[in-house]
Amino acid sequence: MDDVAQLKDRMKEFWALGDYPEVAKRFVPVAEKLVAACDIGVGDHVLDVAAGNGNVAIVAAGTGARVTATDFAPKLLALGRERTASLGLDIRWEEADAEALPYPDATFDATTSAFGLMFAPRPEIAIAEAFRVTRPGGVVGLTAWTPDGFTGQITALMGEYLPVPMGTDRPIDWGIETTVRHRLAPHSKGLSVTRGSITWQFESLERAVAWQESSFGALIAARAALPAARYTELRDRFIGLMAEWNRATDGTVRLPAAYLLVVARHDRTTLTAAR
Ligand SMILES: C[S@@+](CC[C@H](N)C(=O)[O-])C[C@H]1O[C@@H](n2cnc3c(N)ncnc32)[C@H](O)[C@@H]1O
């Protein structure tokens, strides 16, 4: 097995830690924005890459689209399958690495990934795959945390401590507009990049720390892997960032987390002609 394959195997274990459904609840508004921005609707054939437990897939299916959801972590697939089955949604779930999608060229009208493709270790390969499986005239839509928001800062902090990278050396480069434009230029004729933000809310700083330590897989992985003193240092810095970013003044916690929403379209005339 080569180094990248070994890395991915360890990353799959890492993404399975914590309580991802609890985390994903907070990202539902982003899934709604992404599906709307991609103009997904009835009859569209949609692929959601690195789908987690199905936020984007569920919103897309709700529009009447035919949806395939993929992730490389078996635990997330199981969670996603269970969730969408309990909602009575006919979503197809398949295990797939974002860097090697098991579909022929031009299979989908739209390919999406919310805070997922950004973690693939080789950005150029992952984005080329997303475009390869999308038909000419279709759309590729992504969201990624920006380095200048709370979650981007936490992602960078975790990168300093985790024994296995969460993805690329810097997944949050996907949140820098110039980098995104550069990476998508070979594939897309029309690109829209907008900024959005969600707010992480907690009743208190203590509740925020307890929630992160029980739900956030990266922190759980770090705790298991690091010597106690090094974990304490990370924890202190994590709490320091939460205190620094907190916009609430009433004892609660409100952390603004900025992200980029990227929608890459091929030539519109091709889209109209192909439909
Ligand atoms: C932050 S979660 C986002 C999940 C989902 N898109 C959402 O919006 O809730 C990141 C997801 O990316 C998946 N992932 C990371 N690297 C991947 C890769 N190379 N191929 C497929 N999935 C990957 C993880 O298993 C995890 O489910």
Side-chain angles (χ1 to χ4, degrees):
M1 197 185 282
D2 65 21
D3 289 350
V4 177
Q6 273 180 14
L7 168 68
K8 284 180 183 167
D9 272 357
R10 295 191 62 193
M11 285 172 64
K12 285 177 201 173
E13 290 168 21
F14 152 84
W15 279 109
L17 294 169
D19 185 352
Y20 190 71
E22 192 53 44
V23 177
K25 278 182 200 165
R26 296 170 183 264
F27 301 160
V28 171
V30 181
E32 291 167 349
K33 284 209 168 114
L34 179 60
V35 168
C38 292
D39 202 17
I40 288 168
V42 181
D44 283 337
H45 193 190
V46 176
L47 174 69
D48 190 40
V49 173
N53 69 330
N55 273 1
V56 176
I58 289 168
V59 178
T63 70
R66 190 159 46 104
V67 182
T68 298
T70 58
D71 201 281
F72 75 165
K75 176 167 172 202
L76 273 300
L77 285 174
L79 288 168
R81 274 197 189 103
E82 190 183 301
R83 182 181 180 200
T84 57
S86 75
L87 292 170
L89 292 172
D90 182 18
I91 291 173
R92 184 178 180 144
W93 282 90
E94 287 178 337
E95 188 170 331
D97 179 352
E99 295 183 353
L101 297 171
Y103 307 105
D105 297 357
T107 301
F108 300 97
D109 299 302
T111 301
T112 54
S113 191
F115 311 124
L117 184 147
M118 67 179 285
F119 292 109
R122 295 171 299 181
E124 277 76 17
I125 295 178
I127 197 65
E129 275 295 87
F131 276 91
R132 182 186 65 73
V133 300
T134 307
R135 69 170 172 81
V139 61
V140 173
L142 310 171
T143 64
W145 302 115
T146 66
D148 59 357
F150 169 72
T151 309
Q153 301 255 309
I154 289 293
T155 305
L157 176 69
M158 297 312 301
E160 287 182 45
Y161 288 85
L162 279 172
V164 179
M166 286 168 88
T168 56
D169 285 347
R170 283 180 47 89
I172 51 174
D173 282 352
W174 274 111
I176 300 171
E177 181 167 349
T178 48
T179 305
V180 171
R181 288 191 179 279
H182 178 73
R183 286 178 178 167
L184 269 65
H187 306 287
S188 170
K189 288 188 182 160
L191 188 61
S192 132
V193 182
T194 51
R195 280 175 75 93
S197 183
I198 57 166
T199 304
W200 295 84
Q201 298 189 48
F202 302 96
E203 285 164 23
S204 64
L205 195 54
E206 293 68 33
R207 293 292 283 266
V209 176
W211 186 91
Q212 300 283 7
E213 286 192 310
S214 64
S215 303
F216 183 36
L219 206 54
I220 294 166
R223 189 176 202 169
L226 295 173
R230 181 106 170 117
Y231 178 71
T232 302
E233 180 189 296
L234 166 62
R235 190 177 186 273
D236 288 348
R237 287 182 67 189
F238 200 112
I239 294 170
L241 270 178
M242 288 202 283
E244 183 191 322
W245 279 84
N246 188 10
R247 298 293 175 265
T249 53
D250 58 358
T252 67
V253 174
R254 286 169 180 258
L255 305 162
Y259 63 88
L260 281 194
L261 171 57
V262 180
V263 179
R265 291 180 187 279
H266 292 246
D267 191 335
R268 260 284 173 195
T269 50
T270 320
L271 177 65
T272 313
R275 287 197 160 190

